[in-house]
Amino acid sequence: MRICTFHSFAYDIVRKCSDTPPEVNYTSYNIIVDLLERKVFEDKDLLRKLLLFLGFYFDLPADAMRYENLNQYHLAKAAQDYETLRSGAGDYVRKVATQRQRAMRTLTGEFLRSVQEVQIANFLYLNGLDYEYEPVYPYVIPGARKKYTPDFIIRQGEHTAYLEHYALSESGHSYVLTEEETAKYLRNIKAKRKLHRQMGTTLLETWSWYKDGRPLSEHLREVLLAEGFVLRERDFSEVYKKIVETSKDKYVYKMVHFLMTFIAQYKTCGYDAGGFEVLRSKTDNPRTLLFLDIAEAAYNYYQSQLEAQSRIDFEDMINDAHFYLAEIERLHLELPYKYIIIDEFQDIARQRFNLTKRLSDITNAKVIAVGDDWQSIFAFAGSEIGLFTRFLELMGSGVQMNITHTYRNSQELIDIAGGFIQKNTSQIPKQLKSPKHLKNPIVLIEFDDTDRPFYAMAETAERTIEQILREYGSDSSILLIGRYGFDSHKLCTTGRFTELSDGRVICHKFPKANLTFMTAHSAKGLGFDNVIILNMFEGKFGFPCQLEDDPIMKLVRFEDTSMPFAEERRLFYVALTRTKNRVYILTPQNRPSRFLIELVEDYKIPHSQDLNMETVDSFRLRCPICGYPLRFEHNKTYGLRLYLCTNEPEICDFMTNSKRHLYDIYKCSQCKDGYMVVREKGGQPFYGCTGYDIETKTGCRNTSPILVGSQPVLRRRRH
């Protein structure tokens, strides 16, 4: 019997069939870095494509066509930072004053509100046009409660024009706005056109979608040329050099990791150099097609470096072994295998499945695939759960044998965990049995996450450890499970815990406790006396994880769409079943995970009346007018750090300086430059002018009361 990993088996095949046995490559990162930092300057076409991708498409675009409703669209916008190439290249430096503090600071970043506005800014920058984002319109507008800030002002010598970009199609329609919202948007467009006519200023307009299907950049070029602007393309080499010098972490290194991940997954799917044409045939998305051009060049350079150094990476080990097996079959050579037994088959990737099938075909060996589809959790590494659930169909014939007895978990725990996982009807149905019994195998330990939630979680973890030690003794092994590796860091930054390099954790209050931290992924296959699950918040970085794959990666990665959060559901099942006794779930009362709510509702797990049983919003702060998320940023127009509504400004331009009291700011009626912002005295909010200096007690003393429970001065137009 030979026992080996897939890679060691494949490497042995490659080594025996190669004239010059290759070495294993561990320098993938360095090769791609070398391409993007040095070699790219030797390939002007690649440099151009790379800079265009970084400038127009790098961040996942918040395209309203991708979302089912406007709420999803604005959640995506609120979660993104849209930075321009100009700031990435170090060309944007501005001094701004924070009026309330009378402090000056330098802005080295230029952040915009949407990906299409970033595309416009990058087009202007790369074509040598001077621009300013959201400048204050220089003319006084009678009755205005806010400053009017067009999206862009564009200058070339004495030639000046304003540019407004609209989140509508050029025919005035929207994929996500209601009829009422669209009508309001169109009224505001008419008002802007009238204002510019009255003031004698030039207004240019672009739209989010065009009937001819051509990209925004082409239409923007035509608009600018028709207005008489001269486009002088910058030296892309100089722009890229600046980015390499000043913003490696934001652009170059981020792109390196993206390319490395894509190439690895590309190979894991079994593709060779010809696979790029196959992928191009599957999409007409200009962002994806541009990336495929870049990725193909990176792949070819990467492969040439491996060949020059007589090296092979882990993905090519499998693919090359598959090729050599075909050669072995053609030459009628014999391989002495009668049985191929594979463990953890639920995590099989396409290339490993193909290698197994080929080996079985040429040896007539029987394949015994051992696995549990309930624990298929490695799609990010290329696994396809369907290769397991459809095993008999794909292999042509066979027998399914069930292993239904478990000796780690109690019957009560596996009844709950099994019911939870089988909510997904595409999973193979099973009824597990255990000789162990334990009442209340899942215990919720609640904490108040209103303020400093991670400190509250750490204190609750201490209490839970004390409870476990009291019931099971100091020898009990305790596993702390996080959804992410940084969950341990958050626990330890509170000063109550310290993580050692080997994964062991020291609780300062109970230093002799036998604690280990692992992510749910790394804990798979292991068992501990008791388990504490840490990160059970609802949200982007909670459990379930609500981060979405980039659409490009979906070309080379299997996505289980059998139900929402299908793989996260399996991962939570893994977390629940690592214990020999109980699972203690640290439960945030205000923002509990939807998985927690489901467990409580379906299995009547005891909980307090303080536990919020509604699925909570991923964003705590919402606009009091339209309900969309508020985004916190320094606003150069007002010189303040503000919470701004992510809705389109033509529909709602709510902004406030206070997250405790959500009241809109507005122009002061008693001074020229001041704004009425929310201030607080004795716990009660009131309006005060920004022109008043708190330290010197000088300046505009205008104040106004706020009636708590009402929303005065919230309804208004933008100008």
Side-chain angles (χ1 to χ4, degrees):
M1 178 181 291
R2 180 182 177 189
I3 302 174
C4 58
T5 65
F6 266 96
H7 286 114
S8 64
F9 172 78
Y11 186 53
D12 187 55
I13 294 287
V14 172
R15 189 172 54 188
K16 288 179 179 178
C17 296
S18 303
D19 295 333
T20 304
E23 296 181 7
V24 179
N25 177 63
Y26 296 102
T27 62
S28 302
Y29 179 82
N30 294 335
I31 293 173
I32 303 299
V33 167
D34 182 61
L35 172 66
L36 296 193
E37 285 194 5
R38 295 195 310 109
K39 293 295 183 181
V40 69
F41 293 104
E42 301 171 8
D43 186 338
K44 298 302 181 184
D45 183 58
L46 175 60
L47 176 62
R48 181 182 184 83
K49 289 177 178 178
L50 180 61
L51 197 54
L52 289 175
F53 185 79
L54 295 177
F56 293 97
Y57 297 117
F58 197 13
D59 289 315
L60 179 64
D63 181 346
M65 294 175 66
R66 294 179 56 246
Y67 301 98
E68 295 179 2
N69 54 56
L70 196 59
N71 181 57
Q72 291 184 6
Y73 172 53
H74 287 291
L75 286 175
K77 285 177 63 179
Q80 293 264 2
D81 283 327
Y82 299 108
E83 186 177 12
T84 64
L85 277 180
R86 183 168 72 173
S87 65
D91 282 6
Y92 182 79
V93 178
R94 176 185 294 274
K95 296 284 187 179
V96 295
T98 302
Q99 293 179 344
R100 293 182 70 188
Q101 300 175 349
R102 295 296 178 187
M104 297 293 294
R105 69 188 187 93
T106 300
L107 285 181
T108 55
E110 184 179 38
F111 294 93
L112 278 58
R113 294 178 185 268
S114 74
V115 71
Q116 287 195 330
E117 288 183 343
V118 170
Q119 291 174 342
I120 291 171
N122 289 343
F123 183 91
L124 298 174
Y125 175 68
L126 292 175
N127 285 279
L129 293 176
D130 183 31
Y131 72 88
E132 182 181 349
Y133 179 63
E134 291 193 339
V136 177
Y137 194 63
Y139 299 97
V140 176
I141 306 172
R145 301 185 67 85
K146 296 276 181 68
K147 297 176 182 179
Y148 168 43
T149 56
D151 290 332
F152 295 91
I153 185 171
I154 305 169
R155 299 184 181 93
Q156 191 171 58
E158 298 299 318
H159 192 178
T160 299
Y162 294 93
L163 173 66
E164 289 280 13
H165 178 68
Y166 304 129
L168 300 174
S169 71
E170 64 176 325
S171 56
H173 296 290
S174 170
Y175 291 92
V176 287
L177 297 178
T178 64
E179 289 186 12
E180 181 183 358
E181 289 170 329
T182 302
K184 183 177 181 180
Y185 202 126
L186 292 171
R187 288 195 300 271
N188 272 285
I189 291 176
K190 290 181 180 179
K192 290 178 182 180
R193 291 170 176 170
K194 180 179 179 182
L195 173 66
H196 283 277
R197 284 196 303 269
Q198 291 175 339
M199 299 302 176
T201 50
T202 301
L203 173 64
L204 307 178
E205 299 175 323
T206 52
W207 306 85
S208 290
W209 306 283
Y210 289 88
K211 287 180 288 187
D212 60 15
R214 290 187 297 140
L216 169 62
S217 59
E218 292 185 13
H219 286 276
L220 177 60
R221 176 183 294 274
E222 293 172 358
V223 168
L224 293 170
L225 291 175
E227 177 54 29
F229 285 105
V230 179
L231 306 184
R232 300 186 182 94
E233 192 173 84
R234 289 178 183 267
D235 184 334
F236 277 20
S237 295
E238 291 302 314
V239 175
Y240 190 72
K241 281 179 183 176
K242 287 184 178 181
I243 289 175
V244 171
E245 291 169 1
T246 62
S247 298
K248 286 183 182 179
D249 57 337
K250 295 178 183 176
Y251 291 97
V252 179
Y253 292 160
K254 187 177 175 184
M255 188 68 176
V256 167
H257 285 291
F258 193 51
L259 282 169
M260 285 179 60
T261 302
F262 180 86
I263 291 173
Q265 292 295 307
Y266 176 86
K267 292 183 175 185
T268 299
C269 289
Y271 291 123
D272 57 15
F276 287 96
E277 284 306 313
V278 176
L279 296 185
R280 287 188 183 96
S281 68
K282 295 181 178 181
T283 181
D284 60 359
N285 183 284
R287 174 179 184 259
T288 302
L289 291 172
L290 181 58
F291 175 81
L292 288 175
D293 288 347
I294 298 167
E296 184 173 18
Y299 172 87
N300 290 335
Y301 178 74
Y302 174 69
Q303 292 298 105
S304 70
Q305 291 301 299
L306 293 187
E307 183 177 350
Q309 300 170 30
S310 296
R311 293 184 175 182
I312 189 171
D313 63 18
F314 288 100
E315 289 76 31
D316 276 342
M317 283 182 196
I318 308 293
N319 290 336
D320 288 0
H322 185 268
F323 168 79
Y324 285 124
L325 284 180
E327 288 295 292
I328 289 171
E329 182 180 25
R330 185 177 64 83
L331 296 173
H332 303 290
L333 301 178
E334 290 189 7
L335 292 174
Y337 301 118
K338 294 184 178 180
Y339 299 94
I340 305 168
I341 306 174
I342 304 175
D343 194 18
E344 303 289 358
F345 199 87
Q346 77 279 350
D347 295 321
I348 198 79
R350 174 66 61 174
Q351 64 168 182
R352 300 186 186 192
F353 181 88
N354 292 341
L355 181 67
T356 303
K357 186 74 163 61
R358 172 67 73 179
L359 182 60
S360 173
D361 288 343
I362 68 175
T363 61
N364 291 316
K366 294 183 178 180
V367 179
I368 297 94
V370 184
D372 180 2
D373 65 300
W374 292 6
Q375 299 187 57
S376 179
I377 58 173
F378 291 108
F380 68 87
S383 71
E384 296 184 35
I385 188 174
L387 297 175
F388 183 87
T389 56
R390 298 172 53 229
F391 178 80
L392 300 182
E393 172 191 342
L394 296 173
M395 283 294 181
S397 63
V399 177
Q400 177 176 309
M401 297 179 289
N402 296 327
I403 304 174
T404 58
H405 284 75
T406 178
Y407 301 94
R408 176 190 300 149
N409 312 126
S410 67
Q411 185 67 51
E412 291 75 9
L413 177 61
I414 60 175
D415 285 346
I416 295 173
F420 175 83
I421 197 68
Q422 289 183 101
K423 284 280 191 73
N424 186 346
T425 56
S426 69
Q427 305 280 174
I428 299 174
K430 295 185 279 287
Q431 190 66 45
L432 300 184
K433 300 176 182 178
S434 171
K436 295 176 62 175
H437 290 277
L438 181 66
K439 290 184 178 179
N440 301 320
I442 298 177
V443 180
L444 306 189
I445 310 293
E446 299 179 29
F447 62 92
D448 185 353
D449 56 317
T450 304
D451 188 36
R452 303 179 79 191
F454 297 114
Y455 283 85
M457 184 179 72
E459 188 275 331
T460 307
E462 280 183 344
R463 289 192 287 110
T464 307
I465 291 168
E466 182 178 21
Q467 181 177 335
I468 293 172
L469 295 177
R470 190 166 53 244
E471 184 172 358
Y472 293 97
S474 58
D475 293 334
S476 173
S477 61
I478 302 173
L479 175 63
L480 305 174
I481 290 184
R483 173 59 185 83
Y484 313 91
F486 56 71
D487 288 335
S488 174
H489 175 72
K490 290 177 179 178
L491 193 71
C492 294
T493 54
T494 64
R496 295 175 181 268
F497 293 84
T498 299
E499 185 177 15
L500 305 180
S501 59
D502 60 357
R504 290 185 298 119
V505 176
I506 303 299
C507 176
H508 297 172
K509 190 172 182 180
F510 304 102
K512 293 185 179 181
N514 181 10
L515 305 177
T516 302
F517 172 82
M518 288 185 177
T519 64
H521 282 100
S522 59
K524 181 174 174 289
L526 302 177
F528 290 77
D529 292 331
N530 290 282
V531 164
I532 300 173
I533 303 180
L534 301 176
N535 181 358
M536 289 306 299
F537 292 90
E538 177 71 14
K540 185 176 179 181
F541 291 100
F543 203 167
C545 168
Q546 297 179 32
L547 291 168
E548 282 195 29
D549 271 348
D550 190 294
I552 288 172
M553 293 305 301
K554 293 180 181 179
L555 285 175
V556 291
R557 182 178 289 169
F558 172 78
E559 182 182 14
D560 185 357
T561 58
S562 54
M563 71 179 305
F565 304 110
E567 182 150 322
E568 290 291 303
R569 181 173 289 268
R570 294 191 289 271
L571 186 61
F572 188 52
Y573 170 84
V574 168
L576 289 176
T577 53
R578 296 311 92 199
T579 183
K580 299 176 184 177
N581 294 298
R582 287 194 170 88
V583 180
Y584 299 84
I585 303 179
L586 306 189
T587 304
Q589 291 178 330
N590 298 310
R591 305 185 68 203
S593 158
R594 65 187 66 201
F595 285 171
L596 274 180
I597 295 172
E598 185 178 326
L599 285 182
V600 169
E601 290 179 338
D602 291 352
Y603 302 102
K604 312 304 178 188
I605 296 175
H607 63 93
S608 75
Q609 294 299 314
D610 296 325
L611 183 63
N612 176 20
M613 292 297 291
E614 300 292 331
T615 300
V616 298
D617 191 349
S618 297
F619 287 84
R620 297 186 182 187
L621 292 181
R622 292 258 177 177
C623 175
I625 298 177
C626 67
Y628 292 115
L630 297 179
R631 180 187 175 96
F632 188 57
E633 64 181 52
H634 186 282
N635 186 277
K636 66 180 179 64
T637 302
Y638 296 91
L640 298 170
R641 295 184 69 79
L642 297 173
Y643 297 89
L644 295 100
C645 181
T646 54
N647 206 340
E648 303 304 329
E650 290 79 5
I651 298 175
C652 178
D653 66 345
F654 174 85
M655 57 183 71
T656 184
N657 62 298
S658 172
K659 68 177 181 179
R660 286 171 53 86
H661 307 287
L662 298 181
Y663 294 90
D664 205 358
I665 70 172
Y666 62 98
K667 287 184 68 173
C668 177
S669 60
Q670 297 185 17
C671 69
K672 181 180 179 181
D673 299 320
Y675 269 79
M676 303 298 283
V677 297
V678 179
R679 291 181 174 168
E680 192 173 338
K681 185 175 182 179
Q684 295 300 314
F686 68 96
Y687 278 117
C689 181
T690 56
Y692 179 74
D693 191 313
I694 297 176
E695 292 183 1
T696 63
K697 301 188 183 305
T698 59
C700 181
R701 296 177 176 272
N702 186 18
T703 62
S704 175
I706 295 177
L707 302 177
V708 178
S710 67
Q711 286 290 344
V713 295
L714 282 182
R715 295 287 181 185
R716 78 269 155 258
R717 294 183 182 275
R718 189 177 185 185
H719 4 282

